[in-house]
Amino acid sequence: MGAAEWIGPSDGEKDKLDINAIASSLPAEASALKATLANSIVKGVDDMRRAASTEATQAKATQRRLAIAVVAGSAIAALASGLLLYGQGGADAPASSSLVSLAKQNSVVIALLQIVSLLIATAAAGYLAGKDFGKLWTERRREAETRRIEIFNNALALIGESPGTGDESPLRQVLEFFRRYQLDLQINYYKKAGQREDKSSNRALFATSLLGGATVVLGLIGGISPALLSLSAFLGIAVPIVLSATQSWATTTGAAAKAASYQSAGKALQNLRFDLTKIEDAADAGNVADVKKFMDTVHGIMSAENGAFVGAGPLPAPPPTPRPPASGKM
């Protein structure tokens, strides 16, 4: 039994870079790796990584909640404004219209909804402007990923002077640690994250395409039945508002760009993994330089993806303000 068996194969999405848990799971034979993971340099860098990761997660959650408040609040306020305009109607407005009648009867409730939604959107936008959580998310995520790379670089440096030879050597132990908890873990992460962002992008694309198509047929609705004329006119206001909100959210999340970045990085790491057997042989021969070169190449791909990462897009623009219907035509 050698280092590959001591560290074990990847456990897919269950694997985490938890230094203490990894060290406690190792057998006594993996003493070199145990000592490396217990070193104050490795543990100190890991503490900094976990702190940055926690801050990034918190900033991400806050930014997304505020962005939702801006997009949804602005859209609801605009829709409420449209209903109020219909409630006012024109001199020749069909009083029997159920939509106009509903708007008139509930004008106070609609006005309150408009005020509350606009207040929420304005407050969220102001908070985002005062503290850029998107930028904080980006910076902390980049710091966490940089510290992750430092953990493995430090582990290699600590055994570099006495790498040993064979499949149980300190160098082979560090390589297997790197293989499972850096290379394989990142491949799994990029695959899962890429699929998640791709689904999000596809949902937004489907929604905008559907709404875009709806705008084409709105003009035909009124011709079907006079009773649908006011509904057609209101949808002419509502659909562009919802479409604008959907596009704003897609821009804010940047799902399409993130999906492409994750997928590209994941494929590049998978291609590098083909060389793993050659690097294992180099480690067994005590060749620190080749192992370091392989690790640096993996880290270069991760750093490129990390440098391109943007936690949030620009602040979404509010949906267009509805205009009152032409007098007597709704």
Side-chain angles (χ1 to χ4, degrees), residues 128-140:
L128 276 172
K131 187 171 184 180
D132 192 341
F133 288 96
K135 181 180 179 181
L136 180 62
W137 173 14
T138 299
E139 291 176 345
R140 292 298 179 268

Side-chain angles (χ1 to χ4, degrees), residues 152-290:
F152 294 93
N153 285 340
N154 284 319
L156 180 63
L158 287 169
I159 57 91
E161 294 183 2
S162 302
T165 58
D167 63 358
E168 297 182 357
S169 66
L171 180 57
R172 182 62 184 271
Q173 291 179 42
V174 169
L175 175 61
E176 294 299 335
F177 169 58
F178 173 81
R179 182 263 308 161
R180 177 171 179 178
Y181 294 102
Q182 185 73 311
L183 179 58
D184 287 350
L185 190 150
Q186 287 300 126
I187 289 174
N188 288 325
Y189 169 78
Y190 287 143
K191 179 180 179 181
K192 181 181 178 181
Q195 291 174 342
R196 182 187 67 240
E197 297 296 340
D198 190 49
K199 288 180 180 178
S200 177
S201 176
N202 287 339
R203 285 194 296 267
L205 179 61
F206 176 77
T208 53
S209 298
L210 185 63
L211 290 169
T215 60
V216 177
V217 300
L218 286 177
L220 302 176
I221 295 180
I224 298 175
S225 170
L228 297 176
L229 183 60
S230 60
L231 175 61
S232 173
F234 178 70
L235 288 176
I237 290 177
V239 169
I241 291 172
V242 178
L243 178 61
S244 176
T246 303
Q247 291 173 334
S248 293
W249 179 248
T251 300
T252 302
T253 58
K258 286 186 175 67
S261 179
Y262 291 143
Q263 291 167 356
S264 176
K267 289 179 180 178
L269 292 184
Q270 286 178 320
N271 287 332
L272 273 180
R273 205 185 188 288
F274 295 149
D275 294 333
L276 191 57
T277 298
K278 181 174 67 176
I279 303 305
E280 290 171 346
D281 292 341
D284 292 350
N287 190 333
V288 178
D290 281 0

Side-chain angles (χ1 to χ4, degrees), residues 11-27:
D11 199 11
E13 297 177 6
K14 294 182 180 180
D15 275 346
K16 298 183 185 301
L17 184 58
D18 186 330
I19 297 298
N20 294 329
I22 294 170
S24 64
S25 70
L26 294 172

